[in-house]
Amino acid sequence: SYVLTQSPSVSVAPGKTARIPCGGNNLGSKSVQWYQQRPGQAPVLVIYYDGDRPSGIPERFSGSNSGNTATLTISRVEGGDEADYYCQVWDTTSDHWVFGGGTKLTVL
Amino acid sequence: QVYLVESGGGLVRTGGSLRLSCVGSGFSFSGDYMSWIRQAPGKGLEWISYISGSGTTIYYADSVKGRFTVSRDNAKNSLYLQMNSLRADDTAVYYCARFVNFWSGFDFWGQGTLVTVSS
């Protein structure tokens, strides 16, 4: 089955840019979604179709996807961005949704 | 405004059964795919099942196949998850979520319901 790999943690200072990678075989051929999950809350979709933002998601959130890596980029990081972030794809081979293991973003 | 509200969670013995429900509002429930996703304590998200709007297409993760059954009643705007032969590793918060196609992800989630399986 398809596997998405994420680093367990990323740290960034307030006001700086956070980049959260997600790896998978030929990931650039798939559509990648990103979810933000704050402690005790349900996940929230922040990026879909690799780089599109749902309404209400700040422009500071952007995404890219090429080759074997997709990246969620958060510009001008704020304390409220501290959360777990999950990447996700639809695997057409297994007809399964697949999540990455998640990355905890810490704002220093 | 889209709302998804899960219910039915609780404490159940190992080997027991439980039925979760999810009621949707604010969108065309019968026209959209629905999915169940779970999250064990301190762990990541795990997709476990989806069902098409008509109910004719259903898929399960290997971890629950043969034990869990997803269904829906579009007249009641409701999604269900029948969970049988429950094990300790089924302990998790269970979320229902909506998606409209296979390229744009789950745009709305419920708040989750906790299932605890213990002997």
Side-chain angles (χ1 to χ4, degrees):
Chain A
S1 59
Y2 196 78
V3 175
L4 292 173
T5 302
Q6 296 185 246
S7 302
S9 63
V10 167
S11 299
V12 64
K16 300 299 186 182
T17 297
R19 294 178 179 84
I20 300 173
C22 172
N25 184 42
N26 199 25
L27 186 56
S29 67
K30 301 180 183 298
S31 174
V32 178
Q33 281 65 244
W34 290 92
Y35 299 87
Q36 176 193 67
Q37 187 181 32
R38 296 188 174 106
Q41 297 185 18
V44 173
L45 180 68
V46 295
I47 292 289
Y48 65 98
Y49 281 151
D50 295 341
D52 288 352
R53 278 175 290 102
S55 60
I57 301 301
E59 292 183 6
R60 301 185 298 104
F61 288 80
S62 62
S64 62
N65 183 21
S66 178
N68 294 321
T69 304
T71 303
L72 172 68
T73 301
I74 309 172
S75 304
R76 302 180 300 282
V77 166
E78 304 170 355
D81 299 330
E82 192 163 274
D84 294 324
Y85 291 86
Y86 295 90
C87 56
Q88 179 208 39
V89 297
W90 169 251
D91 178 25
T92 55
T93 300
S94 61
D95 285 324
H96 284 20
W97 286 102
V98 178
F99 286 98
T103 296
K104 180 176 180 59
L105 176 67
T106 298
V107 181
L108 301 171
Chain B
Q1 184 77 334
V2 172
Y3 290 102
L4 294 169
V5 180
E6 301 97 336
S7 62
L11 176 63
V12 61
R13 296 291 191 190
T14 303
S17 298
L18 208 57
R19 189 195 197 205
L20 306 183
S21 299
C22 168
V23 177
S25 61
F27 65 104
S28 178
F29 185 84
S30 63
D32 290 333
Y33 293 93
M34 296 295 296
S35 195
W36 288 99
I37 302 103
R38 70 183 180 183
Q39 187 170 36
K43 303 297 185 182
L45 301 172
E46 179 190 14
W47 170 80
I48 57 174
S49 180
Y50 87 78
I51 184 170
S52 62
S54 64
T56 55
T57 301
I58 291 173
Y59 282 95
Y60 299 97
D62 291 345
S63 58
V64 304
K65 197 170 186 178
R67 301 187 300 123
F68 290 11
T69 302
V70 64
S71 62
R72 64 192 297 161
D73 183 342
N74 288 337
K76 296 181 178 180
N77 282 5
S78 293
L79 172 74
Y80 305 103
L81 185 68
Q82 177 67 43
M83 304 185 294
N84 298 331
S85 303
L86 284 163
R87 311 183 304 219
D89 63 359
D90 293 317
T91 294
V93 174
Y94 285 73
Y95 297 99
C96 65
R98 180 194 88 156
F99 66 102
V100 296
N101 59 50
F102 296 91
W103 304 276
S104 56
F106 303 139
D107 56 354
F108 290 101
W109 297 62
Q111 84 289 350
T113 187
L114 176 62
V115 173
T116 303
V117 184
S118 175
S119 56

